[in-house]
Amino acid sequence: MNKQTNSQRRFTVIELPVFPIVADSLGLPFKYLPELVKYGGVPFLLMLAVSAISFLLAREDASKNAMSALMAVAHFVLFTPFSVTWSKLAIYGRPAIATDPPFAYSRTQWLYLLATTVMVISLVIIAGSSVALVRYGQRNFDHEVVMWAGVLMVAGLVLFAIGFVRLSFVFPAIAIRKYAGISAAWKQTRGNIERLAAIIVLSSAPYFVIRQILDSLIGYHPPGLAAATRGSLDMLLIAMATTALAGPALAYKRVVLDEHEEAPALGGATPSRE
């Protein structure tokens, strides 16, 4: 009887409340403003420094694609400690990060960065191969190749999006040191793919909408104070968009963690001691 009960609980799908989770995710930066400044300030300032270096290299005729790649890599590397801390904060609250340093790398952060790197490389392979086919068809004036390359790109991006949503619980699980493998994460999101997709999109959409509005209002300015201000605002919105990862973290808490579970002693050991 007990085995049957456990089996039923294991396969019960808990439907995620999309809008309450999105509201909680968007409200966390206001609820935890001191923590946002403490843990997000360091990577934000470092990203501004990288942006300045990128600007100087661009003036020396450095490749635009290379500069974009530099900014992307810097963002993931610098914001990984914040991503881990923010996920723990979303799931367990302030006690879980009470003694976490503002910026530090340990086994948890490196594992989180590895998962992010695998995700990015997968996307690059899917998009890059399709783009290469498109360019090949354009160079040879082969419209059929271009058409099929476009179809493959759309199909690949759709499959990537589905895989990303189904495996989105990997990241909060790593952050709170409860990672149980890709198979477990895949099963945990079963039956909630549409809701999880909605949570991920709606949690980050406001920041990108505001970014587009600012772009249209500010417009283009040549290098100078106006351009520096625009770049800083743009970087701030990208940093704020990182807080949207609280959406999947809160969904993970609702689906996977026992509602009566107490916060573990994460606050008692800093990441540097792991």
Side-chain angles (χ1 to χ4, degrees):
M1 182 68 178
N2 190 33
K3 291 182 178 180
Q4 290 179 351
T5 302
N6 291 336
S7 177
Q8 289 173 354
R9 290 181 60 187
R10 187 179 300 132
F11 293 100
T12 298
V13 176
I14 300 175
E15 293 188 358
L16 289 169
V18 175
F19 293 108
I21 289 178
V22 171
D24 287 344
S25 175
L26 294 175
L28 282 183
F30 303 98
K31 182 180 180 180
Y32 296 121
L33 184 59
E35 287 77 13
L36 176 65
V37 174
K38 177 180 178 180
Y39 296 101
V42 173
F44 171 68
L45 293 175
L46 291 175
M47 276 301 301
L48 286 181
V50 174
S51 180
I53 294 172
S54 177
F55 172 74
L56 293 176
L57 292 175
R59 295 193 65 179
E60 299 297 327
D61 296 327
S63 169
K64 184 177 180 180
N65 290 334
M67 293 302 97
S68 297
L70 171 64
M71 292 296 293
V73 171
H75 174 80
F76 288 122
V77 172
L78 295 176
F79 273 91
T80 288
F82 172 76
S83 299
V84 171
T85 299
W86 197 254
S87 295
K88 291 195 295 183
L89 183 65
I91 293 172
Y92 289 126
R94 285 192 174 99
I97 64 167
T99 59
D100 284 8
F103 186 86
Y105 259 88
S106 67
R107 183 177 179 276
T108 299
Q109 282 77 13
W110 284 116
L111 185 57
Y112 194 101
L113 180 60
L114 175 62
T116 303
T117 302
V118 171
M119 176 196 69
V120 173
I121 290 176
S122 301
L123 178 59
V124 169
I125 291 174
I126 291 172
S129 58
S130 300
V131 169
L133 279 176
V134 169
R135 291 181 177 176
Y136 172 81
Q138 290 174 339
R139 285 197 302 267
N140 292 277
F141 303 99
D142 192 330
H143 299 293
E144 187 174 353
V145 171
V146 173
M147 180 188 70
W148 282 110
V151 171
L152 288 174
M153 176 179 288
V154 172
L157 292 176
V158 169
L159 289 175
F160 173 83
I162 294 173
F164 174 75
V165 173
R166 288 299 305 265
L167 297 176
S168 58
F169 283 177
V170 164
F171 297 96
I174 291 174
I176 64 171
R177 300 197 286 272
K178 287 184 178 291
Y179 176 65
I182 292 176
S183 177
W186 186 272
K187 293 176 182 177
Q188 288 162 356
T189 56
R190 180 175 60 87
N192 274 306
I193 182 170
E194 298 90 351
R195 296 177 182 85
L196 266 173
I199 289 170
I200 292 170
V201 172
L202 294 177
S203 295
S204 57
Y207 302 108
F208 291 102
V209 170
I210 295 172
R211 186 184 179 199
Q212 292 301 317
I213 292 174
L214 285 177
D215 279 346
S216 63
L217 292 177
I218 296 175
Y220 172 76
H221 290 279
L225 181 60
T229 302
R230 176 186 177 181
S232 298
L233 288 174
D234 190 56
M235 200 65 61
L236 178 61
L237 286 171
I238 293 175
M240 288 297 297
T242 308
T243 64
L245 55 84
L250 291 168
Y252 173 83
K253 178 182 180 182
R254 180 68 67 95
V255 171
V256 179
L257 301 182
D258 187 342
E259 61 180 357
H260 300 297
E261 179 183 10
E262 297 293 335
L266 292 173
T270 62
S272 61
R273 295 179 183 176
E274 287 183 281

